[in-house]
Amino acid sequence: MNQKQKQTGFTLIELVVVIIILAILAIVAAPKFITVSTEARVSGLAQLNASAKTANNLVYARSQMSSFSTQAVGSRDDLLDIDLEGDDSFNTRLKWGYLDNTDIEKWLILDDGFVIEYQGIANTFIGYDLNQDGKVQDDQCYFLYTQAANATSPPGYVNEVSGC
C-alpha cells in the first residue's frame, strides 16, 4: 500500500487560538475572583466585630448577676475575674465589666486565616496577614478591639478594611 497515512491532531494555529481564548477568559474572570476574596475578608471582619460586641454584652450581663462568682484582682477596682462555668475557676478577666483585651479571643471562633496582634495593654488586632510577616496592622485588613478605658467608656470596636 502506497497510501499515506492521514495524520490527526491539532494544528499550531488551532492551539494558539485556544490559548488566546483561555487567556481572555482568565483576564475577565480574575478580577471577579479577587473581588470575591476581598468581600469575604470584609465580611469575616464584620462578623468578628458583631461577635465581640455580643460576647461583651453577654459577659457584662453575667458579671452583674449574683449567681456568678467574681473576685477582685489585687487592689485594682478596674479588674474583676469571673467564674462563668461555675467550676471555681476564675478564667475570664473583665476590665470595667467588659472583656479584657487578652480575653476577647477566647470568646471568638477564629479560623486559621486570622492572626492576632497585641499593641500595648489595651489593643488587640485580629485580621489577615496578607504579606505573611506575622503582623496584621501593616496589611490594613483587621478588626481592632480596644478594652474599656474606664467605668464610663465601653470597649471600642473598629474594622479597618482599606487593605483587604
Side-chain angles (χ1 to χ4, degrees), residues 13-134:
I13 293 176
E14 290 172 328
L15 289 174
V16 169
V17 169
V18 168
I19 290 172
I20 290 172
I21 291 171
L22 290 174
I24 291 170
L25 288 173
I27 290 170
V28 170
K32 295 189 185 303
F33 286 118
I34 292 170
T35 302
V36 168
S37 296
T38 298
E39 289 173 1
R41 286 191 288 270
V42 170
S43 178
L45 294 175
Q47 291 301 318
L48 276 179
N49 192 320
S51 296
K53 287 177 183 175
T54 302
N56 249 330
N57 289 336
L58 177 66
V59 170
Y60 183 80
R62 286 185 176 181
S63 71
Q64 303 303 311
M65 301 169 78
S66 60
S67 58
F68 290 95
S69 300
T70 60
Q71 70 181 16
V73 178
S75 62
R76 296 182 58 175
D77 61 347
D78 61 334
L79 295 179
L80 183 69
D81 287 341
I82 185 169
D83 174 18
L84 294 172
E85 290 83 27
D87 60 359
D88 293 327
S89 173
F90 296 89
N91 52 8
T92 300
R93 175 150 297 169
L94 306 180
K95 179 154 184 169
W96 299 112
Y98 296 98
L99 288 166
D100 184 74
N101 72 312
T102 57
D103 274 3
I104 191 68
E105 66 193 69
K106 296 176 189 175
W107 287 81
L108 302 174
I109 298 173
L110 302 173
D111 66 23
D112 294 336
F114 288 109
V115 173
I116 299 171
E117 180 182 348
Y118 298 103
Q119 181 184 53
I121 60 169
N123 299 316
T124 300
F125 295 85
I126 304 172
Y128 297 97
D129 182 15
L130 302 175
N131 62 4
Q132 302 296 313
D133 66 350

